[in-house]
Amino acid sequence: MPLIIMCGYPCSGKSKCAEELRHYFTQHTDRKVHVIDDDILGIEKNLVYADSQNEKNLRGALKAEVERKVTKDDIVILDSLNYIKGYRYELFCIIKHTQTPHCLVYCLTSAEVSSGWNRSRESGAQYTQEILDALVLRFEAPDSRNRWDSPLFSIQKEDLLPFEAISDAILKRKAPPPNQSTQSQPLTSTNFLYELDKVTQDVLMAILDSQKTSIPGDLIAIPGATEKIELTRNLNMAELRKLRRQFISYTKMHPTENIGHISNMFVQYLNKSMH
């Protein structure tokens, strides 16, 4: 039925909590419980997180498995770092499309505690200190004010998991309603891909042009869109192109019936991904 997203530093107790949640829901419900973790590619984690392409492949494989497993009947627990804000938003889009609830369990530790727990592991299961430090540095902490990070359960090392509260969040709460950017529609326009490419490129150029005379905090008007870009910081072309590729990939799988909505959809996506 719902998705439980684990989040935290390496060696912060995520897998232990995921196993405790799997056991709880197996014992207290009649639903199937699927745990998806970093072992999905069968690659040693230091090799994965030392190479940006390997890490990107891992995130893609995890997301694809979530899409396959998430239904309105089964419980899915995603046991990974999930430390990138934009990636958590992509997972949120999946559950909106599936129309099932989700929650985030954040295993909150200090870098020192995680390093200590890492050193206590068997040598073959340890992160190198260099990899661990880099992941801690890149970590984007969840914020319950963001819809994709809420409901948020922050768990410290001495805490017991709030099983009943988590259960209520995913079994009794209504699923978020689908919106234009997540609801799958039939592909009815033969020039949809052309318009998708053209509109998103026009949005990027409008942002780059506006940044020449704007400062962080300004709202940027986008031709063809009723919503505006919230310019929290300057964005370079490489970052904008990456966000555009991600949006195009997702929209190809979930095309909108109304081409006129593409601009607003892309603006919504950018506002949520670049904060």
mmCIF file of all heavy atoms in Angstrom, residues 117-153:
data_model
loop_
_atom_site.group_PDB
_atom_site.id
_atom_site.type_symbol
_atom_site.label_atom_id
_atom_site.label_comp_id
_atom_site.label_asym_id
_atom_site.label_seq_id
_atom_site.Cartn_x
_atom_site.Cartn_y
_atom_site.Cartn_z
ATOM 1 N N TRP A 117 30.072 3.957 14.495
ATOM 2 C CA TRP A 117 29.323 2.744 14.146
ATOM 3 C C TRP A 117 29.919 2.088 12.900
ATOM 4 O O TRP A 117 29.924 0.868 12.782
ATOM 5 C CB TRP A 117 27.851 3.081 13.915
ATOM 6 C CG TRP A 117 27.095 3.320 15.192
ATOM 7 C CD1 TRP A 117 27.561 3.103 16.461
ATOM 8 C CD2 TRP A 117 25.765 3.810 15.335
ATOM 9 N NE1 TRP A 117 26.596 3.431 17.385
ATOM 10 C CE2 TRP A 117 25.476 3.865 16.722
ATOM 11 C CE3 TRP A 117 24.789 4.217 14.432
ATOM 12 C CZ2 TRP A 117 24.249 4.302 17.214
ATOM 13 C CZ3 TRP A 117 23.566 4.653 14.925
ATOM 14 C CH2 TRP A 117 23.298 4.699 16.287
ATOM 15 N N ASN A 118 30.407 2.892 11.980
ATOM 16 C CA ASN A 118 31.038 2.349 10.781
ATOM 17 C C ASN A 118 32.291 1.550 11.146
ATOM 18 O O ASN A 118 32.513 0.443 10.634
ATOM 19 C CB ASN A 118 31.405 3.485 9.830
ATOM 20 C CG ASN A 118 32.015 2.991 8.529
ATOM 21 O OD1 ASN A 118 31.465 2.166 7.832
ATOM 22 N ND2 ASN A 118 33.199 3.512 8.211
ATOM 23 N N ARG A 119 33.111 2.085 12.055
ATOM 24 C CA ARG A 119 34.346 1.386 12.456
ATOM 25 C C ARG A 119 34.060 0.095 13.217
ATOM 26 O O ARG A 119 34.897 -0.820 13.232
ATOM 27 C CB ARG A 119 35.209 2.318 13.315
ATOM 28 C CG ARG A 119 35.841 3.473 12.543
ATOM 29 C CD ARG A 119 36.885 4.195 13.376
ATOM 30 N NE ARG A 119 36.317 4.820 14.555
ATOM 31 C CZ ARG A 119 35.833 6.064 14.577
ATOM 32 N NH1 ARG A 119 35.856 6.805 13.487
ATOM 33 N NH2 ARG A 119 35.324 6.571 15.686
ATOM 34 N N SER A 120 32.884 0.004 13.831
ATOM 35 C CA SER A 120 32.545 -1.202 14.595
ATOM 36 C C SER A 120 32.052 -2.338 13.705
ATOM 37 O O SER A 120 31.903 -3.470 14.174
ATOM 38 C CB SER A 120 31.477 -0.870 15.643
ATOM 39 O OG SER A 120 30.230 -0.579 15.031
ATOM 40 N N ARG A 121 31.815 -2.058 12.449
ATOM 41 C CA ARG A 121 31.371 -3.090 11.518
ATOM 42 C C ARG A 121 32.540 -3.979 11.104
ATOM 43 O O ARG A 121 33.698 -3.605 11.228
ATOM 44 C CB ARG A 121 30.767 -2.463 10.258
ATOM 45 C CG ARG A 121 29.434 -1.777 10.458
ATOM 46 C CD ARG A 121 28.923 -1.234 9.135
ATOM 47 N NE ARG A 121 27.534 -0.798 9.212
ATOM 48 C CZ ARG A 121 26.809 -0.394 8.156
ATOM 49 N NH1 ARG A 121 27.381 -0.378 6.954
ATOM 50 N NH2 ARG A 121 25.566 -0.022 8.308
ATOM 51 N N GLU A 122 32.191 -5.145 10.552
ATOM 52 C CA GLU A 122 33.227 -5.983 9.960
ATOM 53 C C GLU A 122 33.859 -5.223 8.801
ATOM 54 O O GLU A 122 33.203 -4.427 8.125
ATOM 55 C CB GLU A 122 32.628 -7.299 9.463
ATOM 56 C CG GLU A 122 32.068 -8.177 10.569
ATOM 57 C CD GLU A 122 31.517 -9.479 10.023
ATOM 58 O OE1 GLU A 122 31.629 -9.691 8.792
ATOM 59 O OE2 GLU A 122 30.979 -10.273 10.804
ATOM 60 N N SER A 123 35.123 -5.466 8.549
ATOM 61 C CA SER A 123 35.870 -4.676 7.572
ATOM 62 C C SER A 123 35.206 -4.681 6.196
ATOM 63 O O SER A 123 35.186 -3.669 5.493
ATOM 64 C CB SER A 123 37.312 -5.183 7.459
ATOM 65 O OG SER A 123 37.323 -6.557 7.078
ATOM 66 N N GLY A 124 34.646 -5.800 5.783
ATOM 67 C CA GLY A 124 34.021 -5.891 4.466
ATOM 68 C C GLY A 124 32.734 -5.105 4.347
ATOM 69 O O GLY A 124 32.262 -4.849 3.241
ATOM 70 N N ALA A 125 32.145 -4.715 5.475
ATOM 71 C CA ALA A 125 30.873 -3.979 5.460
ATOM 72 C C ALA A 125 31.058 -2.501 5.742
ATOM 73 O O ALA A 125 30.085 -1.753 5.786
ATOM 74 C CB ALA A 125 29.913 -4.588 6.494
ATOM 75 N N GLN A 126 32.292 -2.068 5.924
ATOM 76 C CA GLN A 126 32.553 -0.673 6.267
ATOM 77 C C GLN A 126 32.608 0.212 5.028
ATOM 78 O O GLN A 126 33.004 -0.218 3.941
ATOM 79 C CB GLN A 126 33.889 -0.547 7.013
ATOM 80 C CG GLN A 126 33.903 -1.125 8.409
ATOM 81 C CD GLN A 126 35.249 -0.907 9.084
ATOM 82 O OE1 GLN A 126 36.082 -0.132 8.623
ATOM 83 N NE2 GLN A 126 35.467 -1.613 10.199
ATOM 84 N N TYR A 127 32.209 1.480 5.234
ATOM 85 C CA TYR A 127 32.521 2.520 4.255
ATOM 86 C C TYR A 127 33.950 2.973 4.526
ATOM 87 O O TYR A 127 34.403 2.973 5.679
ATOM 88 C CB TYR A 127 31.608 3.740 4.435
ATOM 89 C CG TYR A 127 30.165 3.534 4.065
ATOM 90 C CD1 TYR A 127 29.257 3.015 4.989
ATOM 91 C CD2 TYR A 127 29.692 3.891 2.810
ATOM 92 C CE1 TYR A 127 27.915 2.848 4.663
ATOM 93 C CE2 TYR A 127 28.353 3.732 2.471
ATOM 94 C CZ TYR A 127 27.473 3.209 3.403
ATOM 95 O OH TYR A 127 26.156 3.040 3.084
ATOM 96 N N THR A 128 34.654 3.393 3.494
ATOM 97 C CA THR A 128 35.928 4.054 3.757
ATOM 98 C C THR A 128 35.610 5.402 4.399
ATOM 99 O O THR A 128 34.535 5.978 4.170
ATOM 100 C CB THR A 128 36.726 4.288 2.452
ATOM 101 O OG1 THR A 128 36.022 5.239 1.636
ATOM 102 C CG2 THR A 128 36.921 2.986 1.692
ATOM 103 N N GLN A 129 36.520 5.898 5.215
ATOM 104 C CA GLN A 129 36.254 7.164 5.892
ATOM 105 C C GLN A 129 36.081 8.296 4.880
ATOM 106 O O GLN A 129 35.266 9.208 5.077
ATOM 107 C CB GLN A 129 37.398 7.498 6.855
ATOM 108 C CG GLN A 129 37.092 8.659 7.799
ATOM 109 C CD GLN A 129 35.898 8.372 8.701
ATOM 110 O OE1 GLN A 129 35.770 7.286 9.262
ATOM 111 N NE2 GLN A 129 35.003 9.346 8.827
ATOM 112 N N GLU A 130 36.800 8.226 3.779
ATOM 113 C CA GLU A 130 36.693 9.264 2.749
ATOM 114 C C GLU A 130 35.299 9.286 2.136
ATOM 115 O O GLU A 130 34.696 10.354 1.953
ATOM 116 C CB GLU A 130 37.737 9.021 1.654
ATOM 117 C CG GLU A 130 37.718 10.069 0.548
ATOM 118 C CD GLU A 130 38.729 9.768 -0.549
ATOM 119 O OE1 GLU A 130 39.341 8.670 -0.527
ATOM 120 O OE2 GLU A 130 38.899 10.632 -1.426
ATOM 121 N N ILE A 131 34.764 8.109 1.829
ATOM 122 C CA ILE A 131 33.424 8.012 1.248
ATOM 123 C C ILE A 131 32.384 8.475 2.257
ATOM 124 O O ILE A 131 31.466 9.246 1.935
ATOM 125 C CB ILE A 131 33.115 6.572 0.796
ATOM 126 C CG1 ILE A 131 34.031 6.164 -0.364
ATOM 127 C CG2 ILE A 131 31.652 6.423 0.391
ATOM 128 C CD1 ILE A 131 33.803 6.928 -1.643
ATOM 129 N N LEU A 132 32.515 8.030 3.497
ATOM 130 C CA LEU A 132 31.552 8.411 4.525
ATOM 131 C C LEU A 132 31.537 9.922 4.720
ATOM 132 O O LEU A 132 30.470 10.547 4.779
ATOM 133 C CB LEU A 132 31.873 7.696 5.837
ATOM 134 C CG LEU A 132 30.803 7.799 6.940
ATOM 135 C CD1 LEU A 132 30.776 6.517 7.770
ATOM 136 C CD2 LEU A 132 31.044 8.986 7.855
ATOM 137 N N ASP A 133 32.709 10.523 4.806
ATOM 138 C CA ASP A 133 32.790 11.979 4.997
ATOM 139 C C ASP A 133 32.161 12.723 3.826
ATOM 140 O O ASP A 133 31.472 13.740 4.014
ATOM 141 C CB ASP A 133 34.247 12.416 5.160
ATOM 142 C CG ASP A 133 34.851 11.963 6.484
ATOM 143 O OD1 ASP A 133 34.088 11.605 7.398
ATOM 144 O OD2 ASP A 133 36.098 11.967 6.590
ATOM 145 N N ALA A 134 32.374 12.225 2.610
ATOM 146 C CA ALA A 134 31.822 12.882 1.430
ATOM 147 C C ALA A 134 30.297 12.805 1.414
ATOM 148 O O ALA A 134 29.616 13.776 1.064
ATOM 149 C CB ALA A 134 32.400 12.249 0.163
ATOM 150 N N LEU A 135 29.757 11.658 1.814
ATOM 151 C CA LEU A 135 28.303 11.494 1.841
ATOM 152 C C LEU A 135 27.674 12.374 2.915
ATOM 153 O O LEU A 135 26.592 12.947 2.712
ATOM 154 C CB LEU A 135 27.943 10.026 2.066
ATOM 155 C CG LEU A 135 28.226 9.095 0.883
ATOM 156 C CD1 LEU A 135 28.090 7.632 1.294
ATOM 157 C CD2 LEU A 135 27.290 9.405 -0.288
ATOM 158 N N VAL A 136 28.327 12.484 4.047
ATOM 159 C CA VAL A 136 27.831 13.368 5.117
ATOM 160 C C VAL A 136 27.826 14.816 4.632
ATOM 161 O O VAL A 136 26.881 15.572 4.886
ATOM 162 C CB VAL A 136 28.691 13.215 6.384
ATOM 163 C CG1 VAL A 136 28.387 14.331 7.388
ATOM 164 C CG2 VAL A 136 28.437 11.853 7.036
ATOM 165 N N LEU A 137 28.879 15.205 3.931
ATOM 166 C CA LEU A 137 28.989 16.580 3.440
ATOM 167 C C LEU A 137 27.898 16.899 2.424
ATOM 168 O O LEU A 137 27.372 18.020 2.388
ATOM 169 C CB LEU A 137 30.371 16.784 2.817
ATOM 170 C CG LEU A 137 30.737 18.213 2.398
ATOM 171 C CD1 LEU A 137 30.807 19.130 3.618
ATOM 172 C CD2 LEU A 137 32.075 18.230 1.661
ATOM 173 N N ARG A 138 27.529 15.912 1.598
ATOM 174 C CA ARG A 138 26.524 16.140 0.546
ATOM 175 C C ARG A 138 25.091 15.976 1.048
ATOM 176 O O ARG A 138 24.139 16.264 0.316
ATOM 177 C CB ARG A 138 26.745 15.166 -0.622
ATOM 178 C CG ARG A 138 28.083 15.324 -1.324
ATOM 179 C CD ARG A 138 28.044 14.733 -2.729
ATOM 180 N NE ARG A 138 27.738 13.320 -2.767
ATOM 181 C CZ ARG A 138 28.646 12.359 -2.784
ATOM 182 N NH1 ARG A 138 29.930 12.662 -2.721
ATOM 183 N NH2 ARG A 138 28.289 11.088 -2.859
ATOM 184 N N PHE A 139 24.913 15.519 2.256
ATOM 185 C CA PHE A 139 23.590 15.158 2.774
ATOM 186 C C PHE A 139 22.660 16.372 2.842
ATOM 187 O O PHE A 139 23.016 17.418 3.374
ATOM 188 C CB PHE A 139 23.728 14.537 4.170
ATOM 189 C CG PHE A 139 22.458 13.936 4.701
ATOM 190 C CD1 PHE A 139 22.096 12.652 4.360
ATOM 191 C CD2 PHE A 139 21.625 14.669 5.525
ATOM 192 C CE1 PHE A 139 20.920 12.099 4.847
ATOM 193 C CE2 PHE A 139 20.454 14.130 6.015
ATOM 194 C CZ PHE A 139 20.099 12.840 5.673
ATOM 195 N N GLU A 140 21.471 16.233 2.282
ATOM 196 C CA GLU A 140 20.448 17.268 2.345
ATOM 197 C C GLU A 140 19.347 16.798 3.291
ATOM 198 O O GLU A 140 18.535 15.939 2.936
ATOM 199 C CB GLU A 140 19.892 17.542 0.944
ATOM 200 C CG GLU A 140 20.939 18.106 -0.009
ATOM 201 C CD GLU A 140 20.424 18.296 -1.428
ATOM 202 O OE1 GLU A 140 19.398 17.678 -1.794
ATOM 203 O OE2 GLU A 140 21.053 19.057 -2.162
ATOM 204 N N ALA A 141 19.345 17.351 4.491
ATOM 205 C CA ALA A 141 18.435 16.890 5.547
ATOM 206 C C ALA A 141 16.980 17.125 5.162
ATOM 207 O O ALA A 141 16.648 18.146 4.549
ATOM 208 C CB ALA A 141 18.755 17.590 6.855
ATOM 209 N N PRO A 142 16.099 16.192 5.497
ATOM 210 C CA PRO A 142 14.673 16.391 5.211
ATOM 211 C C PRO A 142 14.083 17.505 6.055
ATOM 212 O O PRO A 142 14.569 17.812 7.139
ATOM 213 C CB PRO A 142 14.053 15.025 5.555
ATOM 214 C CG PRO A 142 15.001 14.408 6.530
ATOM 215 C CD PRO A 142 16.363 14.899 6.146
ATOM 216 N N ASP A 143 13.024 18.098 5.543
ATOM 217 C CA ASP A 143 12.345 19.215 6.199
ATOM 218 C C ASP A 143 10.846 18.944 6.130
ATOM 219 O O ASP A 143 10.287 18.853 5.033
ATOM 220 C CB ASP A 143 12.701 20.520 5.492
ATOM 221 C CG ASP A 143 12.122 21.754 6.172
ATOM 222 O OD1 ASP A 143 11.167 21.616 6.948
ATOM 223 O OD2 ASP A 143 12.621 22.866 5.899
ATOM 224 N N SER A 144 10.192 18.835 7.275
ATOM 225 C CA SER A 144 8.772 18.476 7.307
ATOM 226 C C SER A 144 7.877 19.529 6.657
ATOM 227 O O SER A 144 6.712 19.265 6.375
ATOM 228 C CB SER A 144 8.318 18.233 8.751
ATOM 229 O OG SER A 144 8.464 19.416 9.529
ATOM 230 N N ARG A 145 8.442 20.730 6.399
ATOM 231 C CA ARG A 145 7.648 21.751 5.710
ATOM 232 C C ARG A 145 7.478 21.421 4.235
ATOM 233 O O ARG A 145 6.588 21.970 3.575
ATOM 234 C CB ARG A 145 8.302 23.128 5.872
ATOM 235 C CG ARG A 145 8.267 23.649 7.308
ATOM 236 C CD ARG A 145 9.088 24.924 7.437
ATOM 237 N NE ARG A 145 10.510 24.658 7.197
ATOM 238 C CZ ARG A 145 11.458 25.586 7.291
ATOM 239 N NH1 ARG A 145 11.146 26.837 7.607
ATOM 240 N NH2 ARG A 145 12.719 25.272 7.067
ATOM 241 N N ASN A 146 8.319 20.531 3.721
ATOM 242 C CA ASN A 146 8.186 20.069 2.338
ATOM 243 C C ASN A 146 7.197 18.911 2.276
ATOM 244 O O ASN A 146 7.290 17.973 3.086
ATOM 245 C CB ASN A 146 9.535 19.603 1.788
ATOM 246 C CG ASN A 146 10.562 20.710 1.736
ATOM 247 O OD1 ASN A 146 10.224 21.873 1.511
ATOM 248 N ND2 ASN A 146 11.823 20.362 1.947
ATOM 249 N N ARG A 147 6.286 18.955 1.318
ATOM 250 C CA ARG A 147 5.280 17.887 1.225
ATOM 251 C C ARG A 147 5.926 16.527 1.005
ATOM 252 O O ARG A 147 5.429 15.508 1.490
ATOM 253 C CB ARG A 147 4.311 18.183 0.078
ATOM 254 C CG ARG A 147 3.348 19.332 0.344
ATOM 255 C CD ARG A 147 2.570 19.664 -0.896
ATOM 256 N NE ARG A 147 3.443 20.085 -1.983
ATOM 257 C CZ ARG A 147 3.105 20.023 -3.270
ATOM 258 N NH1 ARG A 147 1.946 19.523 -3.634
ATOM 259 N NH2 ARG A 147 3.948 20.447 -4.201
ATOM 260 N N TRP A 148 7.031 16.519 0.267
ATOM 261 C CA TRP A 148 7.661 15.229 -0.041
ATOM 262 C C TRP A 148 8.433 14.670 1.153
ATOM 263 O O TRP A 148 8.840 13.521 1.142
ATOM 264 C CB TRP A 148 8.563 15.354 -1.265
ATOM 265 C CG TRP A 148 9.607 16.428 -1.181
ATOM 266 C CD1 TRP A 148 10.881 16.298 -0.718
ATOM 267 C CD2 TRP A 148 9.475 17.796 -1.582
ATOM 268 N NE1 TRP A 148 11.544 17.487 -0.795
ATOM 269 C CE2 TRP A 148 10.708 18.431 -1.325
ATOM 270 C CE3 TRP A 148 8.430 18.537 -2.133
ATOM 271 C CZ2 TRP A 148 10.922 19.780 -1.600
ATOM 272 C CZ3 TRP A 148 8.646 19.878 -2.407
ATOM 273 C CH2 TRP A 148 9.881 20.483 -2.143
ATOM 274 N N ASP A 149 8.681 15.479 2.170
ATOM 275 C CA ASP A 149 9.364 15.014 3.380
ATOM 276 C C ASP A 149 8.395 14.852 4.553
ATOM 277 O O ASP A 149 8.820 14.731 5.712
ATOM 278 C CB ASP A 149 10.461 16.002 3.789
ATOM 279 C CG ASP A 149 11.662 15.965 2.860
ATOM 280 O OD1 ASP A 149 11.858 14.941 2.193
ATOM 281 O OD2 ASP A 149 12.409 16.959 2.812
ATOM 282 N N SER A 150 7.120 14.887 4.292
ATOM 283 C CA SER A 150 6.119 14.849 5.357
ATOM 284 C C SER A 150 5.071 13.774 5.066
ATOM 285 O O SER A 150 4.684 13.608 3.895
ATOM 286 C CB SER A 150 5.439 16.222 5.456
ATOM 287 O OG SER A 150 4.452 16.233 6.451
ATOM 288 N N PRO A 151 4.619 13.040 6.109
ATOM 289 C CA PRO A 151 4.994 13.133 7.520
ATOM 290 C C PRO A 151 6.436 12.654 7.756
ATOM 291 O O PRO A 151 6.886 11.705 7.129
ATOM 292 C CB PRO A 151 3.998 12.235 8.241
ATOM 293 C CG PRO A 151 3.115 11.650 7.219
ATOM 294 C CD PRO A 151 3.567 12.037 5.882
ATOM 295 N N LEU A 152 7.116 13.332 8.669
ATOM 296 C CA LEU A 152 8.519 13.062 8.959
ATOM 297 C C LEU A 152 8.659 12.562 10.392
ATOM 298 O O LEU A 152 8.176 13.196 11.333
ATOM 299 C CB LEU A 152 9.339 14.337 8.762
ATOM 300 C CG LEU A 152 10.820 14.285 9.139
ATOM 301 C CD1 LEU A 152 11.579 13.292 8.266
ATOM 302 C CD2 LEU A 152 11.440 15.678 9.028
ATOM 303 N N PHE A 153 9.338 11.427 10.548
ATOM 304 C CA PHE A 153 9.626 10.881 11.878
ATOM 305 C C PHE A 153 11.144 10.891 12.065
ATOM 306 O O PHE A 153 11.860 10.147 11.399
ATOM 307 C CB PHE A 153 9.084 9.456 12.017
ATOM 308 C CG PHE A 153 7.594 9.362 11.883
ATOM 309 C CD1 PHE A 153 7.013 9.114 10.643
ATOM 310 C CD2 PHE A 153 6.767 9.539 12.980
ATOM 311 C CE1 PHE A 153 5.637 9.044 10.500
ATOM 312 C CE2 PHE A 153 5.381 9.463 12.851
ATOM 313 C CZ PHE A 153 4.818 9.221 11.606
#
